[in-house]
């Protein structure tokens, strides 16, 4: 039987947000309970330890436990409308031109100068309507 894992070295690929680092430490603690030492570089975590952690050993240990027990879920900002539109996949009209997602789901600021197709629906590919009015997206009539 191999010895229990006692040390973990983590390369997080640059400085990450404090919430991400704390979630990683929570994950390591829950999935590698035998690990007693975790080494990782985080300027945000080092700054927090310097600024908020008590100097006393027992008080520092209690502070650390409370920090790791907290909720560190990712709190992302809401997506901007343009980001939502850009999440739709690229689709092409039968002629091969890419269908304008902005015209279909919002407003295309380029108008007639836009190099993308404004005549076809991004949802079903049919000509004559846009995705915002696509019959395939309407709920069935009762």
């Amino acid at each position: 039987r191999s010895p229990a894992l006692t040390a973990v070295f983590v390369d997080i690929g640059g400085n990450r947000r404090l919430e991400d680092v704390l979630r990683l430490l929570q994950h390591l603690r829950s999935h590698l309970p035998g690990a007693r030492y975790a080494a990782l570089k985080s300027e945000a975590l080092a700054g927090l330890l310097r600024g908020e952690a008590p100097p006393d050993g027992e008080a520092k240990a209690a502070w650390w436990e409370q920090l790791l027990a907290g909720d560190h879920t990712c709190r992302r900002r809401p997506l901007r409308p343009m980001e939502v539109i850009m999440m739709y996949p690229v689709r092409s009209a039968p002629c091969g031109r890419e269908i304008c997602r902005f015209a279909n789901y919002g407003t295309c600021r380029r108008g007639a100068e836009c190099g993308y197709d404004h005549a076809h629906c991004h949802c079903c590919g049919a000509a004559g309507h846009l995705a915002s009015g696509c019959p395939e997206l309407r709920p069935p009539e009762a």
Side-chain angles (χ1 to χ4, degrees):
R1 183 179 153 127
S2 21
L5 180 70
T6 59
V8 178
F9 295 88
V10 180
D11 181 358
I12 58 174
N15 195 28
R16 298 283 182 241
R17 293 178 329 159
L18 181 61
E19 295 82 16
D20 296 334
V21 173
L22 293 171
R23 276 196 351 257
L24 170 67
L25 290 170
Q26 288 174 331
H27 183 80
L28 289 173
R29 178 179 271 186
S30 66
H31 289 79
L32 300 171
R36 293 280 155 247
Y37 179 79
L40 61 104
K41 181 183 125 190
S42 166
E43 292 174 18
L45 183 58
L48 184 69
L49 288 166
R50 279 191 302 271
E52 294 185 21
D56 178 341
E58 278 189 36
K60 187 181 267 187
W63 175 87
W64 181 252
E65 290 301 321
Q66 184 178 5
L67 179 67
L68 284 184
D71 178 21
H72 304 293
T73 53
C74 187
R75 288 170 180 79
R76 292 188 55 164
R77 65 173 171 74
L79 292 175
R80 295 181 183 109
M82 181 180 83
E83 292 171 319
V84 172
I85 290 171
M86 293 306 291
M87 289 173 62
Y88 289 102
V90 173
R91 294 203 173 114
S92 297
C95 65
R97 247 173 77 197
E98 188 177 317
I99 297 172
C100 182
R101 292 174 277 184
F102 291 100
N104 270 265
Y105 298 104
T107 303
C108 179
R109 294 181 185 164
R110 295 181 182 167
E113 295 179 14
C114 181
Y116 297 101
D117 183 281
H118 284 216
H120 290 83
C121 174
H122 186 265
C123 179
C124 70
H129 66 269
L130 300 178
S132 55
C134 183
E136 288 190 17
L137 296 177
R138 288 189 196 130
E141 293 182 23

